[in-house]
Amino acid sequence: MRIKSTFASHKITALLACSVLLLSGCGKKEADNPAAAGAPPVFPVSTIKVEPAEARVYTTLPGRVAAIKDAEVRARVNGIIQSIEFEQGSVVKEGQLLFKIDPSTYQAAVNQAAAALEQAEANAKSARLLAKRYSTLVKSAAVSRQEYDNAVAQAAQAEAAISQAKAALDAAQINLGYTDVTSPIDGIIGEAFVTEGALVSAGTGTHLATVQQIDQVYVDFSQTTGELSNLRKALAEGQLKQTETGMAVVQLEMEDGSLYPENGKLLFTGVSVNPTTAQVTLRSIFPNPQHLLLPGMFTQVRLEQGVNPQALMVPNQALQRTPDGLVKLLLVKDDKVVSVAVQEGSSIDGKTIINKGLTPNDEVIVEGFQKAQPGGTVKPIPWKKASGEESVDSNKSAES
């Protein structure tokens, strides 16, 4: 009986020892895993520290392309189109024949005017000879002074008739010349708005075609008076400084988001304000050797306004836009997520200048937004855009 009791006591002791070991092991696991112990999880986020840097300030405005020269070719005489002498969409030179209008009636008018001139010259010759003869006879009283004066007047009227006949001939020749419709400028001609056999009118100025010169083009755009005032204020207060040249550089953004390869030049800023839109008109000129810019095309104009020597910039993907239109950034302060409202400025090369709401050395979250909730605890990791080895993909769950 004693042997049984000893064996039972040893068994109980062994069970107690195992329980102690199990409890100590569980406590260690809970200590190593805060989430298991009820502590909130810590998620990694990719961040950058904002440091002041010099940045060129741009404003982006909608613009429209216009040809340097835009010549509408119109009929200047009435008639039937005999032929079209150009290929639509081709390059034409100034003075090049474009349309041929039936010249028969105008040629007849020229011939008639030429004959009238010959008749006037013949009458004038006879009148001059008569006046010359009377000038001798009046001295010997062979003719009266009145007859002589009449002869001189008739000679003068004959000279005037010559001038009148010459003017009529010139007008007839001009109208005949208008039957050859030529290009008024060098440029590219578009479609023909009439065909052979069509009747055109000088009275209504029938539109035959359009020639445009687009080796250089204008780009017109508008800016609000408020934007101009803010720019002048920023320059006056030293927040911005003028560019090295002191002249505004104008760039164009193409439809694919790339920049047009040639920079433009600002020609003028309007001196009057549109009372309806409170905007002023600006015009720039761009070289267009490849004819990539076409008249009527809408584009985005990027106007350089100055240089901000202490700009605070963040990647565009760091901006958070709320349904009410506010722009926010998520910051990390003492490993806690803080949401701050900011005022964005110009955007260039994938970065946006923050005008208000950000201070130097603030740590901004760039990736990992899905797990970064305001007030939550996070583990900041430096953002590496190029390699992305240590950055956190915002489309993936940040779990370790």
Side-chain angles (χ1 to χ4, degrees):
M1 292 294 292
R2 185 159 186 91
I3 292 173
K4 272 186 175 184
S5 176
T6 303
F7 178 77
S9 64
H10 283 300
K11 188 174 181 181
I12 291 171
T13 302
L15 289 171
L16 290 172
C18 289
S19 299
V20 170
L21 289 174
L22 288 171
L23 289 172
S24 64
C26 292
K28 185 178 181 181
K29 286 183 180 179
E30 289 180 358
D32 291 342
N33 189 356
V42 177
F43 297 103
V45 292
S46 294
T47 63
I48 61 166
K49 283 198 173 181
V50 181
E51 297 180 356
E54 183 177 281
R56 295 184 178 273
V57 178
Y58 295 86
T59 182
T60 302
L61 302 165
R64 187 172 185 177
V65 179
I68 291 288
K69 294 182 180 179
D70 193 330
E72 293 184 348
V73 181
R74 294 184 177 272
R76 303 175 75 175
V77 291
N78 302 326
I80 303 295
I81 297 293
Q82 280 190 333
S83 62
I84 298 176
E85 304 292 336
F86 66 91
E87 183 178 350
Q88 301 182 54
S90 63
V91 177
V92 296
K93 298 294 183 181
E94 181 179 355
Q96 178 178 333
L97 180 63
L98 303 178
F99 298 89
K100 184 72 176 176
I101 299 175
D102 183 9
S104 56
T105 57
Y106 299 98
Q107 183 63 60
V110 168
N111 295 340
Q112 184 178 5
L117 175 60
E118 291 177 358
Q119 183 178 0
E121 288 176 341
N123 293 338
K125 183 178 181 180
S126 176
R128 284 194 298 269
L129 290 176
L130 181 62
K132 184 178 180 181
R133 186 178 305 113
Y134 277 16
S135 66
T136 304
L137 295 175
V138 73
K139 295 177 182 178
S140 59
V143 295
S144 66
R145 186 71 185 182
Q146 182 63 49
E147 290 175 318
Y148 170 70
D149 291 341
N150 290 340
V152 171
Q154 289 174 358
Q157 290 175 356
E159 294 294 337
I162 291 177
S163 298
Q164 185 177 7
K166 285 182 177 179
L169 178 59
D170 289 342
Q173 289 174 334
I174 290 172
N175 286 333
L176 177 62
Y178 286 159
T179 61
D180 288 340
V181 183
T182 60
S183 175
I185 60 172
D186 295 342
I188 297 177
I189 191 167
E191 64 176 308
F193 297 125
V194 295
T195 60
E196 290 90 344
L199 174 64
V200 296
S201 168
T204 58
T206 305
H207 191 184
L208 307 179
T210 299
V211 181
Q212 296 176 313
Q213 195 174 96
I214 59 172
D215 290 335
Q216 287 184 309
V217 293
Y218 293 129
V219 178
D220 298 326
F221 54 102
S222 299
Q223 191 173 36
T224 65
T225 54
E227 291 172 332
L228 286 176
S229 298
N230 291 337
L231 172 61
R232 290 168 181 162
K233 181 180 178 181
L235 289 170
E237 294 178 352
Q239 298 175 7
L240 294 179
K241 62 180 182 180
Q242 283 194 332
T243 58
E244 298 84 353
T245 61
M247 297 181 64
V249 176
V250 187
Q251 297 175 321
L252 290 183
E253 291 184 7
M254 306 300 286
E255 291 182 354
D256 59 359
S258 64
L259 288 179
Y260 181 68
E262 302 276 357
N263 287 344
K265 181 174 63 175
L266 186 65
L267 294 182
F268 69 84
T269 300
V271 295
S272 60
V273 179
N274 186 319
T276 303
T277 62
Q279 293 182 329
V280 292
T281 300
L282 298 90
R283 166 166 281 186
S284 57
I285 187 170
F286 281 82
N288 190 32
Q290 303 300 321
H291 298 170
L292 298 178
L293 304 176
L294 301 176
M297 178 186 293
F298 287 96
T299 183
Q300 293 293 319
V301 179
R302 204 165 73 174
L303 178 63
E304 182 175 343
Q305 297 187 317
V307 178
N308 187 339
Q310 296 290 319
L312 300 178
M313 294 181 289
V314 299
N316 290 343
Q317 69 189 70
L319 298 175
Q320 304 289 305
R321 302 186 185 277
T322 62
D324 55 1
L326 296 178
V327 180
K328 294 185 177 182
L329 291 175
L330 295 181
L331 309 183
V332 177
K333 294 185 178 181
D334 299 327
D335 294 335
K336 298 289 186 180
V337 178
V338 178
S339 176
V340 296
V342 297
Q343 182 186 84
E344 62 179 327
S346 302
S347 180
I348 181 172
D349 296 333
K351 293 184 178 181
T352 297
I353 297 176
I354 303 300
N355 295 330
K356 291 182 181 180
L358 204 60
T359 58
N361 297 319
D362 277 347
E363 196 166 10
V364 179
I365 298 177
V366 180
E367 291 180 349
F369 301 107
Q370 290 180 337
K371 299 296 183 179
Q373 299 298 324
T377 303
V378 293
K379 178 183 177 182
I381 297 175
W383 183 57
K384 293 185 178 180
K385 181 180 178 181
S387 63
E389 294 176 355
E390 296 186 25
S391 64
V392 178
D393 188 347
S394 60
N395 294 324
K396 299 178 181 178
S397 60
E399 296 179 356
S400 58

